[in-house]
Amino acid sequence: MNTILKTGITLFLICALSSGLCGIVNSITAPLIAANVEKETLEARQVVSGGYEIGAGIESDDPLIASIMELTDGGERVGFELELLGSGYGGEFTIIASYLLDGTLLEAKMMANGETPGLGKKAEESWYMDMFKGKGGDTPLPGNKNDLDDPSLVSGASVTFNGVSNALRYGSEFVRNFKEV
Amino acid sequence: MASHMYELKKGIFKENPTFIIMLGMCPTLGVSTQVSNALGMGASVLFVLFFSNIVISMLRKVIPDTIRIPSYIVVIASFVTIVEMVLHAFVPSVYAALGVYLPLIVVNCIILGRAEAFANKNTVLDSALDAIGMGIGFTLSLTLIALIREIFGAGTITLFPMGSFSGVITIPGLSESPVRVLTLAAGALLVMGYLKAFFQWKTSRSEKA
């Protein structure tokens, strides 16, 4: 009994000290990490805006859309920029995507993700989103890799592709059906 | 004093973790596509190895034998978490480049191997020196592989941007027509194989002498 108690207490103390140390470092680094993420998001928003002005933010109560920004041209609304939440092979990811009012995808950029380098991580490259750009309005967005001209581009990372496609199609549908509250 | 120096120097060549002991192959092959990644990974492993070896050596008489491996993993995982947070906060580009390999340091065979084979049985000073030597040996090996792969595979040397320096040195001639296979997984294995053969030849030559 004594051995079990001693072993348990030792392991507990090691865990408690380790998590305490991590907590201290986290309290120092968390604000810097948040600032980095914010800066990265702002830069991505500018790139994804497709040359349009980023207007006012609209509150989102949709669990798959973290934020909604209006895209304007000369003060007139032309589309939306959405921060979409999706799920791939490496867990949850975030995509910033811009759409015209008819649901056509203008630009998209993969942000935070846990995809595998060399496979799902390809979604971070610009050519990857080119497969979706200009679609979602008259032409439907590809729903699976067989809808692509060259399915081999995403071979080995179908789960990521489906996750990206689902998120972008959800965004397109959302923009098409958007109604001001 | 001589034995302390031996503990420090052995990891650099004689017991090099990559080319002689052949530990930590996964990150070695995975992140050696760019010199900056290799330096970032090497520095991270050196940091984790140094502190985990010290803590494990300090606690070697306190930790019961039955729970030593879980205890080592907790200690190592804590230092890896700290490295992740620090890199994410101060060098986000290296944090992004190292990606999944960073949390995988927890299960890097070099770190757990040195904890079990050395820090568990030796003094704090020797364990710290062993960690520095092994960490430097790992960093040098990783950087050497990355240097060869990046120079011949991409025609560049990627370091860290500083002031007006973009961080990328372009090598004329090679950047226009690089040997692309070296940047791929097969290239990593090829370079690793040739370097291992070279180290083997060098070791056997010095043993004969």
Side-chain angles (χ1 to χ4, degrees):
Chain A
M1 185 63 191
N2 268 352
T3 314
I4 294 171
L5 204 62
K6 193 187 161 205
T7 307
I9 290 170
T10 309
L11 199 52
F12 170 78
L13 286 175
I14 290 170
C15 292
L17 286 171
S18 299
S19 40
L21 189 63
C22 288
I24 292 168
V25 177
N26 182 54
S27 66
I28 299 165
T29 55
L32 294 165
I33 293 171
N36 284 342
V37 172
E38 179 73 21
K39 190 180 160 213
E40 209 177 297
T41 308
L42 282 174
E43 283 170 2
R45 280 193 190 289
Q46 285 303 326
V47 173
V48 170
S49 66
Y52 294 113
E53 290 152 29
I54 301 171
I58 299 163
E59 207 170 307
S60 167
D61 53 4
D62 192 310
L64 298 178
I65 300 174
S67 70
I68 307 165
M69 307 292 277
E70 205 180 31
L71 288 178
T72 59
D73 189 12
E76 195 181 326
R77 180 189 285 171
V78 290
F80 290 99
E81 195 173 79
L82 309 178
E83 196 174 338
L84 300 159
L85 305 175
S87 181
Y89 186 77
E92 287 183 359
F93 60 69
T94 310
I95 294 177
I96 295 183
S98 58
Y99 297 89
L100 292 176
L101 293 173
D102 67 350
T104 303
L105 181 75
L106 282 174
E107 294 277 351
K109 187 171 168 53
M110 175 72 103
M111 302 298 289
N113 68 83
E115 298 306 305
T116 314
L119 296 169
K121 210 76 168 169
K122 286 177 185 170
E124 286 181 353
E125 294 170 30
S126 59
W127 64 263
Y128 197 95
M129 294 304 177
D130 287 346
M131 296 187 287
F132 299 95
K133 269 189 225 171
K135 294 171 184 167
D138 297 335
T139 324
L141 282 157
N144 63 63
K145 66 178 185 179
N146 294 322
D147 295 338
L148 300 173
D149 295 334
D150 183 3
S152 68
L153 287 172
V154 294
S155 63
S158 307
V159 177
T160 309
F161 178 83
N162 292 341
V164 171
S165 167
N166 288 342
L168 292 176
R169 284 187 296 139
Y170 187 83
S172 175
E173 195 66 25
F174 175 86
V175 170
R176 261 204 308 272
N177 299 323
F178 182 81
K179 284 185 184 74
E180 204 80 61
V181 181
Chain B
M1 187 64 196
S3 75
H4 292 323
M5 281 312 286
Y6 173 77
E7 300 305 347
L8 182 67
K9 288 197 307 192
K10 70 175 192 278
I12 298 170
F13 193 90
K14 201 173 176 212
E15 288 180 32
N16 184 288
T18 309
F19 296 123
I20 306 295
I21 311 179
M22 301 285 284
L23 289 177
M25 285 295 102
C26 174
T28 303
L29 302 179
V31 304
S32 60
T33 46
Q34 283 187 340
V35 176
S36 57
N37 295 354
L39 290 169
M41 180 56 128
S44 306
V45 167
L46 178 56
F47 175 88
V48 174
L49 191 56
F50 180 71
F51 285 104
S52 59
N53 257 19
I54 288 176
V55 171
I56 287 163
S57 178
M58 277 164 65
L59 298 176
R60 71 187 188 280
K61 288 175 184 155
V62 181
I63 299 173
D65 211 34
T66 46
I67 54 155
R68 69 184 196 287
I69 299 293
S71 304
Y72 298 166
I73 294 289
V74 169
V75 171
I76 294 165
S78 304
F79 286 115
V80 170
T81 309
I82 289 168
V83 168
E84 266 198 279
M85 289 190 281
V86 170
L87 285 181
H88 200 175
F90 297 103
V91 210
S93 58
V94 173
Y95 172 79
L98 294 180
V100 72
Y101 295 103
L102 201 51
L104 279 177
I105 294 176
V106 175
V107 286
N108 187 315
C109 305
I110 299 172
I111 296 168
L112 194 59
R114 295 323 289 171
E116 175 70 353
F118 196 90
N120 186 29
K121 304 179 183 82
N122 289 280
T123 63
V124 174
L125 178 63
D126 281 343
S127 300
L129 293 171
D130 175 78
I132 294 171
M134 287 288 165
I136 292 173
F138 178 69
T139 309
L140 290 176
S141 312
L142 198 56
T143 309
L144 177 65
I145 299 170
L147 200 61
I148 295 170
R149 288 182 70 191
E150 200 187 348
I151 288 177
F152 294 103
T156 55
I157 300 172
T158 309
L159 301 167
F160 300 99
M162 266 181 284
S164 59
F165 173 55
S166 68
V168 182
I169 301 166
T170 307
I171 297 150
L174 278 171
S175 60
E176 291 87 33
S177 48
V179 189
R180 282 278 178 228
V181 70
L182 290 181
T183 58
L184 307 175
L189 288 165
L190 275 173
V191 174
M192 179 65 207
Y194 279 114
L195 287 172
K196 168 73 185 155
F198 171 75
F199 268 76
Q200 199 71 43
W201 169 75
K202 193 92 176 125
T203 311
S204 61
R205 226 170 69 121
S206 50
E207 271 170 10
K208 276 181 199 162

